[in-house]
């Protein structure tokens, strides 16, 4: 193999291109791959799947159904939601939550930063 290029996208992200040479068999060939590498976050989720929370800013109830070690949304979404103005910004766990329809009409899911999720006592969440 050979490293063709490595481009720093941000302080914790790199894009790399690698060429792999195959010398096995009668017809040698090369294949190129592209990877995006990210430094792993040291942040650990403080909340569990199924846990009930209250959104600190918007005041709705929700239940956690998934999480990411850090924000996986694009720059446009982060700007619109003010994520970079949070204390830990994008470098914190983000939770996928089912929003209680009594607090927000319709069957909604949301994506919220750990610092905006306040644990509450277990309670039924009304959601499709």
């Amino acid at each position: 193999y050979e490293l063709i290029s490595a481009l720093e996208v941000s302080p914790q992200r790199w894009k790399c291109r690698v060429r792999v040479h195959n010398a096995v068999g009668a017809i040698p060939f090369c294949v190129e791959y592209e990877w995006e590498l990210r430094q792993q976050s040291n942040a650990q989720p403080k909340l569990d799947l199924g846990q009930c929370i209250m959104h600190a800013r918007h005041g709705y109830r929700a239940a956690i159904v998934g999480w990411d070690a850090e924000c996986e949304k694009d720059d446009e979404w982060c700007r619109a939601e003010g994520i970079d103005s949070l204390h830990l910004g994008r470098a914190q766990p983000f939770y996928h939550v089912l929003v209680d329809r009594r607090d927000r009409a319709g069957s909604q899911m949301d994506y919220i930063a750990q610092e905006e999720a306040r644990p509450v006592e277990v309670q039924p969440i009304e959601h499709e």
Side-chain angles (χ1 to χ4, degrees):
Y1 70 91
E2 66 181 296
L3 181 63
I4 299 170
S5 66
L7 172 67
E8 184 176 11
V9 177
S10 71
Q12 287 118 1
R13 290 178 48 203
W14 288 77
K15 283 195 175 187
C16 301
R17 286 182 49 218
V18 176
R19 182 176 295 134
V20 177
H21 301 277
N22 182 10
V24 177
I27 303 172
F29 64 92
C30 296
V31 178
E32 289 187 10
Y33 296 93
E34 181 177 299
W35 282 288
E36 183 171 320
L37 306 174
R38 287 184 308 181
Q39 182 178 2
Q40 287 182 299
S41 170
N42 291 331
Q44 291 296 314
K46 294 179 180 174
L47 305 172
D48 293 321
L49 294 177
Q51 190 164 355
C52 295
I53 59 104
M54 175 81 66
H55 193 290
R57 198 166 21 121
H58 300 301
Y60 61 74
R61 294 166 285 186
I64 297 171
V65 295
W67 63 274
D68 297 321
E70 60 186 39
C71 186
E72 296 291 331
K73 297 287 189 174
D74 61 25
D75 291 338
E76 183 179 334
W77 184 89
C78 289
R79 276 192 298 277
E81 296 296 320
I83 300 304
D84 295 327
S85 66
L86 296 174
H87 178 69
L88 296 173
R90 302 176 195 201
Q92 62 180 306
F94 274 71
Y95 298 97
H96 300 270
V97 298
L98 297 177
V99 178
D100 192 311
R101 69 172 159 216
R102 293 172 293 182
D103 300 328
R104 280 194 171 176
S107 302
Q108 284 191 331
M109 287 193 68
D110 208 352
Y111 191 64
I112 66 172
Q114 182 164 273
E115 67 186 83
E116 293 191 312
R118 303 286 181 264
V120 295
E121 288 186 30
V122 174
Q123 56 188 279
I125 298 294
E126 289 187 18
H127 192 277
E128 298 288 318

